[in-house]
Amino acid sequence: MILSLAFKNVVSRKSSAVIVLFISFAVALMLLINSIFDSTEHGIEQTYTASFTGDFTIRPKDNMLLCLFGDQTPITGELTRIETLKPYADIINYLDNNPLVDSHVSQVTGAGRVEANDHQPFTYIFGVNGEEYTKMMNAIEIVDGRAYGKERGIMLSEYYADWLEVKAGDMVQFTVADGPHVRIRAAKLSAVYKYPVENSIFENIVLADPYTVCSLLDLNTSSDNIEIEETKSDLLFDDIDWDNLFMTDDVSAEDIWDDSAVTVEELFASNNSDDADEEIEEVYPESTTWNFICGKVASGQNKAAVIRKLNRDFKKYGWPVEAVNWRNAAGSTAMYLYWMRLIFNVGIIIILFAGFIIINNTLVVNVLNRTREIGTLRAQGGTRLFVSLECMSETFILSLVAGVLGSVIGCLLSKGFNALNISIHNSFLIQLFGGTTITSILSASVILKSMLLALVIGLVGWIYPVRSALKVTPVKAMQGGE
């Protein structure tokens, strides 16, 4: 009875169409904007997680806003000395035996100038195992050479390779200024690669072996894999013939200064290209000096749930590290879309709030114009609950119709938007939207959220009109008072 009465009242009032259209417009607008931002955010997430952040990143706990590029604190943020992961060996053992984690790769981060052919651009340097890194970050495509493994090497993007005018096999040099001192290191360019989309953030990354990066940053590399035999731990206390320490059976001290000994020129001649190449290919030792660990979750696992589980375990073990998602790992470079989406949604909320006032006033006027009807219902025994349910049913019907209509309009707008095939060429916008084309991808969650928005608007707009209706006494209503 209540629903049928409410339906008749909705159909009989001309203002119902205005209310439905307004709510429908708000729902359609919300649906279109969120479908655009959901699709672009998903594209950016896929690009970032497959290019350099992974599904999660483990970093040292610190007061500064730390990401893979260093300190991201606003205004004062700069690339400062980053703490290392401790206890590294225990963390690696935990990840290796965790069924929720599919793969992981360790990283040490630095910054400096990469030099070749009189070009010296400033870059971020990621010290990683090249083979493991490119295997996990499967969006990276090798276009020249091959990824280095445990040997020393450097990998550049096509952007930097073209700028520096180098190709695989050429020598590349790094320079880092540390106060009055300058450290210079060089390694062979083992590979040139490219990312799936053009992005200025990706182009500023240079991959190098951890040994070179640690040496460049003057970091002390340590290893948990080095064991000293007990028989060789007391060498200084053994009986040593100090007088003949540097002598052999065939060579005496005088022989060292013989004319046939190695000359200065011959001594430094060992730095020729052949020997240098052998040194460049030197396999670096396993190190525990790492700033980050990037990882991928196992197939089918919820990324947010895995990150929460990792952090609970880290807290239980008392390790001063934390796991963060891809957005926090990328730092401010990935926050543009989030803030832009937030600004759009706030703007829509403001529009909806203004519309809510209009809708609320319309509903109040409608209720006050129906004082005779309400008075008649009350006089015939209609309770306050009956009147409340009748008014609530009316607003529910309005909201439901508006939500369905708004969702249909939003879907049509989304299809029309995709048909426009809007392309972008600005590097900032490409970075912001994660590609060269802006698309709108509808999802069930976006449609349900839009429907829920319509119902919330209707239910909130129902409260004040009901209170106004219940204040009308049956006698006054029957007299037609307002």
Side-chain angles (χ1 to χ4, degrees), residues 101-372:
V101 178
D102 178 69
S103 58
H104 58 84
V105 62
S106 304
Q107 174 181 319
V108 57
T109 295
R113 296 192 176 277
V114 56
E115 301 181 10
N117 297 320
D118 297 327
H119 301 291
Q120 300 179 347
F122 180 85
T123 66
Y124 291 100
I125 310 170
F126 288 0
V128 294
N129 180 303
E131 289 182 347
E132 295 178 358
Y133 190 84
T134 52
K135 182 179 180 181
M136 192 177 79
M137 307 300 180
N138 51 25
I140 298 177
E141 179 184 351
I142 304 295
V143 296
D144 183 24
R146 66 173 184 84
Y148 60 84
K150 290 190 174 183
E151 71 273 15
R152 297 180 62 181
I154 297 174
M155 296 172 61
L156 297 177
S157 64
E158 279 188 315
Y159 172 80
Y160 268 133
D162 292 341
W163 188 358
L164 297 175
E165 301 176 358
V166 293
K167 61 183 183 299
D170 294 342
M171 295 298 296
V172 178
Q173 179 175 285
F174 290 115
T175 302
V176 169
D178 185 7
H181 307 289
V182 176
R183 285 187 293 274
I184 300 175
R185 300 293 183 271
K188 183 185 293 185
L189 179 61
S190 65
V192 177
Y193 60 89
K194 67 177 181 179
Y195 292 101
V197 296
E198 294 182 5
N199 192 312
S200 60
I201 302 302
F202 300 163
E203 292 170 352
N204 285 331
I205 298 174
V206 172
L207 305 179
D209 67 89
Y211 184 85
T212 297
V213 177
C214 288
S215 176
L216 187 67
L217 301 178
D218 195 25
L219 296 177
N220 293 323
T221 58
S222 57
S223 176
D224 292 343
N225 301 325
I226 299 176
E227 297 182 0
I228 301 177
E229 296 180 14
E230 206 174 306
T231 57
K232 298 182 180 181
S233 60
D234 296 323
L235 295 179
L236 293 179
F237 299 95
D238 292 341
D239 294 331
I240 299 177
D241 185 359
W242 295 100
D243 294 331
N244 298 316
L245 180 63
F246 298 103
M247 302 299 109
T248 66
D249 295 337
D250 301 325
V251 182
S252 63
E254 290 78 7
D255 294 334
I256 296 178
W257 303 105
D258 188 83
D259 292 339
S260 62
V262 179
T263 64
V264 174
E265 290 77 6
E266 293 172 336
L267 179 64
F268 286 97
S270 61
N271 287 327
N272 290 337
S273 57
D274 294 340
D275 294 333
D277 288 345
E278 292 179 3
E279 183 180 357
I280 295 300
E281 297 298 327
E282 176 187 0
V283 176
Y284 55 82
E286 291 291 338
S287 171
T288 59
T289 304
W290 302 97
N291 302 130
F292 304 99
I293 299 175
C294 300
K296 289 290 187 71
V297 303
S299 177
Q301 297 294 329
N302 182 276
K303 298 176 183 178
V306 171
I307 291 174
R308 289 194 296 269
K309 177 66 167 61
L310 292 176
N311 284 322
R312 286 196 299 269
D313 290 344
F314 294 159
K315 184 177 181 179
K316 180 177 68 174
Y317 298 140
W319 297 340
V321 298
E322 60 182 347
V324 296
N325 61 19
W326 68 274
R327 193 188 301 278
N328 289 309
S332 60
T333 62
M335 295 301 292
Y336 298 126
L337 181 63
Y338 173 79
W339 290 112
M340 193 170 183
R341 179 176 183 172
L342 183 62
I343 291 171
F344 268 103
N345 284 338
V346 169
I348 292 174
I349 291 173
I350 293 174
I351 295 174
L352 293 178
F353 181 76
F356 165 74
I357 296 175
I358 298 174
I359 294 172
N360 189 70
N361 289 339
T362 304
L363 293 174
V364 171
V365 171
N366 286 336
V367 171
L368 295 178
N369 287 337
R370 296 162 54 201
T371 54
R372 287 183 181 275

Side-chain angles (χ1 to χ4, degrees), residues 12 21 48 58 66 69 72 89 99 118 145 153 165 169 240 296 303 324 329 351 356 373 379-380 428-429:
S12 63
L21 288 176
Y48 274 62
I58 299 174
L66 191 64
F69 296 101
Q72 293 286 295
D118 297 327
E165 301 176 358
I240 299 177
K296 289 290 187 71
K303 298 176 183 178
V324 296
I351 295 174
F356 165 74
E373 177 188 336
Q380 291 177 350
F428 175 80
L429 294 178

Side-chain angles (χ1 to χ4, degrees), residues 409-424:
I409 295 174
C411 292
L412 295 175
L413 290 176
S414 177
K415 289 184 177 296
F417 183 86
N418 289 334
L420 296 175
N421 194 25
I422 300 176
S423 299
I424 52 179

